[in-house]
Amino acid sequence: MTLTELRYIVAVARERHFGRAAEACFVSQPTLSVAVKKLEDELDVKLFERGSAEISVTPLGEEIVRQAQAVLEQAQSIKEIAKRGKDPLAGPLRLGVIYTIGPYLLPDLVRQAIARVPQMPLMLQENFTVKLLEMLRAGELDCAILAEPFPDTNLATAPLYEEPFMVAVPRNHPLATRERIDAEELKRETMLLLGAGHCFRDHVLEVCPEFARFSSDAEGIRRSFEGSSLETIKHMVAAGMGVTVVPRLSVPVEPHPHLVYIPFEEPAPTRRVVLVWRRSFTRYEAIAALRNAIYACPLDGVSRLTS
């Protein structure tokens, strides 16, 4: 049994697909499949049920995968302790960021990190919250920038900032001349939402819960549309297809020719953005350096949280 084999079975359990697991591990599918079969033979157990469309994990396999994750985390801790003994800021930091934060924070953050800790390059991964949490647990990421709430996975957290939401409307829309908008007024509008899996979609539905039903019935298609990214949805709004809600950091500095961004009436809806990492991660100085680099970014319109 090797750490590589344990890493492979964790990847297969996460991806539910041998091909995608092999891509995630940067190996060929035959290499991964042979290693998984070798481990199953050694343990004399069946870890996965191989269906035509998707791989499922057997009940015993679930237990073994959980233990494999713990072993991989402990093995990574040994490496981190060794690194820390030399220089906790030396070497890359593997950072995950959700899709609705990455494009708006990372350009400034990367510049700040290079200026402050050039010996600690950031290895970046954008993904959904659930996937980033899985990668954290598996030791494939060191830390992640997420928006609360998210499932409690016994991670250490540090607050970063509180970000208000704003309404984006076409420039020729009747609401475009308003200084502020009440959430109740959006009930009469066609709302454009992010697709399932985005936590920001859930945040918007908390502000406008009446739109939650529109994704599951045919009638709702006339009132609610979905996009794959905030930037795609902004283009849809600019084309006059409806209105949407966006986080403050996604609002560009320069005025848009076809879009107007309007704040909500107080108290405005917000999201709390935090930095999370495994409690066993020992490069505390690296976490502090990353947090300081984030605070050094402009973060226009948000409230920094320091406690």
Side-chain angles (χ1 to χ4, degrees), residues 9-30:
I9 66 169
V10 169
V12 173
R14 183 181 66 245
E15 300 292 343
R16 295 293 199 271
H17 191 276
F18 275 85
R20 291 195 297 270
E23 289 178 9
C25 296
F26 304 102
V27 296
S28 67
Q29 183 172 337

Side-chain angles (χ1 to χ4, degrees), residues 113-133:
I114 290 173
R116 291 166 172 268
V117 279
Q119 73 275 35
M120 189 184 79
L122 298 179
M123 297 179 63
L124 303 171
Q125 167 76 233
E126 276 189 297
N127 220 309
F128 297 112
T129 298
V130 171
K131 185 68 176 287
L132 294 177
L133 289 172

Side-chain angles (χ1 to χ4, degrees), residues 175-193:
L175 293 174
T177 58
R178 298 283 297 279
E179 291 189 4
R180 291 188 177 273
I181 293 179
D182 189 285
E184 287 291 313
E185 298 177 86
L186 298 180
K187 290 182 178 180
R188 300 186 291 273
E189 304 296 330
T190 297
M191 177 67 72
L192 307 182
L193 300 169

Side-chain angles (χ1 to χ4, degrees), residues 33-134:
S33 298
V34 167
V36 171
K37 182 64 167 60
K38 176 176 173 291
L39 183 58
E40 287 181 319
D41 291 343
E42 179 182 345
L43 297 176
D44 195 23
V45 297
K46 194 170 187 178
L47 300 175
F48 304 107
E49 295 286 350
R50 292 145 171 92
S52 58
E54 189 178 79
I55 301 296
S56 61
V57 189
T58 65
L60 188 57
E62 292 278 6
E63 290 185 46
I64 292 173
V65 167
R66 280 196 297 271
Q67 188 60 40
Q69 288 176 326
V71 170
L72 291 171
E73 184 175 325
Q74 291 300 316
Q76 184 62 33
S77 294
I78 293 173
K79 295 180 181 178
E80 289 164 359
I81 290 169
K83 286 181 184 176
R84 192 177 178 217
K86 299 173 183 176
D87 179 359
L89 297 180
L93 186 71
R94 299 170 299 172
L95 172 65
V97 189
I98 56 175
Y99 290 119
T100 57
I101 291 178
Y104 315 110
L105 176 64
L106 289 180
D108 286 323
L109 176 56
V110 169
R111 283 193 289 270
Q112 290 293 338
I114 290 173
R116 291 166 172 268
V117 279
Q119 73 275 35
M120 189 184 79
L122 298 179
M123 297 179 63
L124 303 171
Q125 167 76 233
E126 276 189 297
N127 220 309
F128 297 112
T129 298
V130 171
K131 185 68 176 287
L132 294 177
L133 289 172
E134 289 176 353

Side-chain angles (χ1 to χ4, degrees), residues 100-101 104-105 108 145 159-166 200 246-251 263 266 268-274 291 293-306:
T100 57
I101 291 178
Y104 315 110
L105 176 64
D108 286 323
I145 299 174
L160 295 174
Y161 55 84
E162 194 91 18
E163 182 176 23
F165 300 161
M166 298 185 73
F200 189 72
V246 300
R248 177 62 181 81
L249 287 185
S250 75
V251 176
E266 295 295 340
T270 64
R271 67 175 177 181
R272 181 182 168 96
V273 176
V274 298
R291 200 175 178 206
I294 294 170
Y295 287 145
C297 296
L299 301 180
D300 294 332
V302 310
S303 302
R304 289 171 172 79
L305 302 173
T306 57

